[in-house]
Amino acid sequence: MKEEAAPERILAARDALAATVRGEGPSRRSVVVSGLALTLAGCGSRSREVAYRFTLEVETPEGIRTGSNILEVGIGFNDGLLGGIAQTALSVGVSGEATVVDLGSHGLLFCLLSREGARHGSLDQDAMFGALFPQKPPPGNYASERERDAALLRTPYSRHIDQIKAAKPKAAVPIDRLPRLVRFRDLSDPFSVETVDPKDLAASFGPGVRLVGATVEITEGKPTRGIEKILQWVPLLVGSIGKDRGLPYNHPLNEIMGGSFRRR
């Protein structure tokens, strides 16, 4: 590997936590950085949990409808062998459930925890915190990108997380970055699920229905629970909805599974 590639990989691990900030690939719940002397500052620190409120706002002919819930992202700092000679990692995982927007007579809109593989830039909720609240290098005039990256690495990522938790900022979620949106023709039938285009809700819910926006706001509180009251089959779902149905590997039903709706 060329030495120049190291800063880009480090920034992807620290700022996106799932390597998908720019939609360049699928997010991962564990981001691993390998190589000599790539130990991330903050490794060995206690884990952090950050609660945030995820909100969707939808315009309908009858008025604005909103849906929101609290999710919690847990961030762990894993020590690498010999201080990073083998590998180091940040591990990240979200606890919570899919967001539901009641559109009245138009039906229910669900924003899943998982990304939409066919939509470029789509993030899952594991990657949302890192994508919207990236760590930045300390203010200063840097002679080169390498010098900037070195300054960034000297700043513990755990400190950045603590600052975000204290400031409780709010950020808009770009439409392209949203996780998969779905609807069900029949709430009792998981096979009736349909992916919804975030830029064309009218195609799924009728004229006059459109997505106004989505936000993430750092807050306090426990993750929202209770989606099984709406989708009673979720606790029984093992694997993907498309499991054992002979569908193509990248079929949407193979990407939607129990963890798309809730994670403990």
Side-chain angles (χ1 to χ4, degrees):
M1 180 190 304
K2 294 182 179 180
E3 182 180 357
E4 288 77 14
E8 181 180 349
R9 293 169 62 232
I10 293 170
L11 288 174
R14 300 191 65 172
D15 294 347
L17 302 182
T20 54
V21 174
R22 296 183 297 274
E24 296 175 345
S27 62
R28 300 180 60 188
R29 301 189 74 185
S30 180
V31 181
V32 179
V33 180
S34 301
L36 294 175
L38 296 183
T39 303
L40 299 181
C43 286
S45 302
R46 63 178 174 83
S47 61
R48 301 295 200 275
E49 291 75 38
V50 184
Y52 63 90
R53 180 171 291 280
F54 185 83
T55 301
L56 286 174
E57 185 175 342
V58 179
E59 180 183 341
T60 74
E62 295 76 34
I64 296 294
R65 301 283 183 136
T66 61
S68 71
N69 59 336
I70 293 178
L71 298 111
E72 183 180 81
V73 59
I75 302 168
F77 305 91
N78 304 322
D79 287 327
L81 298 176
L82 300 179
I85 291 181
Q87 66 176 20
T88 60
L90 287 174
S91 59
V92 56
V94 140
S95 176
E97 299 184 341
T99 307
V100 185
V101 186
D102 186 349
L103 302 179
S105 61
H106 303 278
L108 299 179
L109 170 66
F110 296 82
C111 180
L112 304 186
L113 300 177
S114 53
R115 64 191 294 269
E116 181 184 345
R119 176 157 48 85
H120 182 73
S122 176
L123 296 176
D124 63 22
Q125 288 289 2
D126 290 330
M128 197 63 67
F129 175 82
L132 296 183
F133 306 106
Q135 184 178 15
K136 299 178 181 179
N141 296 319
Y142 299 106
S144 65
E145 290 187 5
R146 180 174 296 180
E147 181 180 332
R148 179 205 64 187
D149 294 336
L152 177 63
L153 292 178
R154 287 193 296 269
T155 305
Y157 188 64
S158 56
R159 181 187 303 171
H160 168 69
I161 297 173
D162 292 341
Q163 291 172 343
I164 293 296
K165 288 184 66 174
K168 293 182 172 56
K170 183 177 182 178
V173 182
I175 299 301
D176 290 337
R177 292 293 191 256
L178 284 173
R180 183 188 295 272
L181 303 182
V182 302
R183 67 182 291 269
F184 291 89
R185 297 188 304 275
D186 179 354
L187 292 177
S188 66
D189 180 8
F191 301 113
S192 71
V193 66
E194 297 176 343
T195 296
V196 174
D197 183 351
K199 296 182 178 180
D200 188 12
L201 266 61
S204 298
F205 296 102
V209 180
R210 71 176 186 92
L211 182 62
V212 177
T215 59
V216 164
E217 183 174 13
I218 305 302
T219 186
E220 298 178 0
K222 297 297 183 181
T224 305
R225 302 294 182 190
I227 196 167
E228 67 276 1
K229 297 177 182 178
I230 302 173
L231 302 174
Q232 298 181 6
W233 45 264
V234 165
L236 305 176
L237 182 61
V238 178
S240 68
I241 292 178
K243 182 181 179 181
D244 300 327
R245 294 178 67 88
L247 299 171
Y249 175 78
N250 60 348
H251 192 282
L253 290 185
N254 287 332
E255 296 183 349
I256 302 174
M257 50 195 66
S260 299
F261 297 95
R262 68 173 187 175
R263 298 177 190 171
R264 295 304 183 189

